[in-house]
Amino acid sequence: MMKEITNAIAYENLEEGCLPISDSFNGQKMQEEGCFIDNQSSRLRIGENFDLGNHTYQCQKRFNGMVQMCAIGCIYNGNHFKIGEQYMDGEFVFYCKGGKNGKICQRICIGCQVGDQRLYNGDRYRKENTAFQCVVRPNRSLHKPVACVTEGGIERVVGCKWRTTTKDSKVEQTCVVRKGRSLIETTGCVFTHKGYDRFFLYPGTYTLWSEFMDGEKMGVKCGDANDQKSAPLLETFSLAEMEQKTAGLKYDQPRG
């Protein structure tokens, strides 16, 4: 007469995956009916599930006839996800990845979420004056600021330097990252007169200049624009306006 006995797999061995269980006991053939958990204090029938930590396990009868406890899903913030199912966590998208041979499932980041838009590694989006890129890595994922958006919608990558030409000046600018966003900063202004570059000024400074040695001097200042998409201003002014126009600025010698 065949003896029927329930196979057991210990609670502490669940993370080892679907491990084969012996099909004999004292030389007699066994017919597997279910699994034991919690140090054999609880019993699961074939097809029943059990939650442990961040994983869901199921008592399964495998293709070889063995009864085994296998990981079938992930648990996050009390929500259950099947293997292959995607879900959001803040600004990122994750999916539940199954382990080989029923070993514990993994929570894997696969992309970024921006409003209703789902992005994957390398995709870009714009927010205000910053262009962000979705970066997905095995140990770290982030929304990375990679460029500044200028007037007209042109993207300037972080570290890029360029000149914006106005009527009487050439303004040197660069794209930098500050506090998690990209910003256009002025590196300097070049004052032009009669088609020639006359001198260079750093942002936040002013100087006095005359075309001729004995000519009447005028003031020239280099300042940032309030709007990040607009070019900063190089402005000229008369000596009578100097007190008003140079408030908060530092005097600097003109550089050729």
Side-chain angles (χ1 to χ4, degrees), residues 193-251:
H193 185 68
K194 295 182 179 180
Y196 294 95
D197 294 349
R198 298 296 183 171
F199 56 84
F200 175 91
L201 280 178
Y202 286 109
T205 65
Y206 74 96
T207 193
L208 300 178
W209 178 82
S210 174
E211 183 177 5
F212 303 103
M213 291 294 295
D214 56 351
E216 183 180 355
K217 292 184 179 294
M218 66 176 180
V220 184
K221 71 175 184 178
C222 178
D224 286 307
N226 293 326
D227 184 355
Q228 277 290 310
K229 288 188 177 181
S230 301
L233 302 176
L234 186 143
E235 185 180 355
T236 60
F237 53 90
S238 66
L239 296 184
E241 300 175 294
M242 187 168 69
E243 183 176 356
Q244 175 188 356
K245 295 290 186 178
T246 61
L249 301 181
K250 180 181 178 182
Y251 177 79

Side-chain angles (χ1 to χ4, degrees), residues 16 20 66 151 155 186 240:
E16 297 300 325
M66 296 295 181
E151 188 176 8
E155 289 190 8
T186 303

Side-chain angles (χ1 to χ4, degrees), residues 15-117:
E15 294 189 357
E16 297 300 325
C18 292
L19 300 179
I21 302 174
S22 174
D23 62 352
S24 63
F25 181 75
N26 290 337
Q28 300 186 57
K29 189 72 175 178
M30 296 190 300
Q31 180 176 331
E32 298 90 343
E33 292 183 341
C35 308
F36 280 124
I37 57 174
D38 280 341
N39 294 324
Q40 303 188 19
S41 63
S42 300
R43 178 184 298 180
L44 291 180
R45 293 185 178 275
I46 293 175
E48 288 187 321
N49 298 342
F50 171 71
D51 292 342
L52 174 63
N54 296 323
H55 310 285
T56 298
Y57 296 87
Q58 186 178 80
C59 183
Q60 297 181 354
K61 189 168 186 177
R62 307 294 285 180
F63 66 92
N64 57 4
M66 296 295 181
V67 174
Q68 301 160 342
M69 187 71 87
C70 299
I72 62 167
C74 306
I75 304 173
Y76 183 72
N77 282 345
N79 297 311
H80 291 70
F81 302 96
K82 298 177 181 179
I83 291 176
E85 190 173 358
Q86 298 182 10
Y87 60 95
M88 286 178 52
D89 180 13
E91 297 181 336
F92 297 96
V93 181
F94 293 83
Y95 90 106
C96 180
K97 180 181 179 181
K100 186 177 180 181
N101 295 325
K103 290 187 177 181
I104 59 173
C105 301
Q106 292 179 286
R107 162 184 155 97
I108 304 294
C109 182
I110 59 171
C112 306
Q113 190 75 25
V114 182
D116 296 331
Q117 187 179 13

Side-chain angles (χ1 to χ4, degrees), residues 160-177:
C160 173
K161 293 183 179 181
W162 68 96
R163 281 188 173 185
T164 301
T165 302
T166 62
K167 181 180 177 181
D168 298 316
S169 68
K170 296 175 182 176
V171 180
E172 292 186 350
Q173 296 175 290
T174 186
C175 180
V176 298
V177 176

